[in-house]
Amino acid sequence: NPGPPFVSSVTNSGDDRFAIRFVGALTAPETGLYTISLDADDGTRLFLEGTEYLFWADGSGTSTVTRAFTAGEPVRLRLDYY
């Protein structure tokens, strides 16, 4: 496990006009299907191994994706929130 995700960049234009990017890795303890959910009140994008899996353009809502993971194999993650 490479550790928790960390913030790689933040852009702030004042008030609530900002963007933040988290990068890191997810490592499953067991092989199987895992569901990832994002609940946000603005835009989000989730990438796993460079492939976009979730995109929420604006407003509030929850997005989910189910993906297979292999035990012990880190999967690169990037989460953009704006």
Side-chain angles (χ1 to χ4, degrees):
N1 187 353
F6 62 94
V7 177
S8 65
S9 62
V10 176
T11 303
N12 187 348
S13 300
D15 295 350
D16 69 348
R17 297 177 201 231
F18 66 92
I20 190 166
R21 174 172 289 169
F22 296 92
V23 294
L26 296 175
T27 303
E30 298 178 14
T31 297
L33 294 176
Y34 288 81
T35 299
I36 300 170
S37 297
L38 295 177
D39 186 13
D41 67 353
D42 274 316
T44 57
R45 294 188 317 168
L46 174 70
F47 295 82
L48 300 172
E49 291 297 325
T51 299
E52 186 172 4
Y53 277 84
L54 294 177
F55 173 73
W56 184 260
D58 205 6
S60 338
T62 302
S63 300
T64 61
V65 63
T66 300
R67 184 187 186 279
F69 285 83
T70 302
E73 289 187 12
V75 174
R76 289 180 297 124
L77 169 140
R78 182 181 113 198
L79 174 62
D80 297 334
Y81 176 82
Y82 53 93

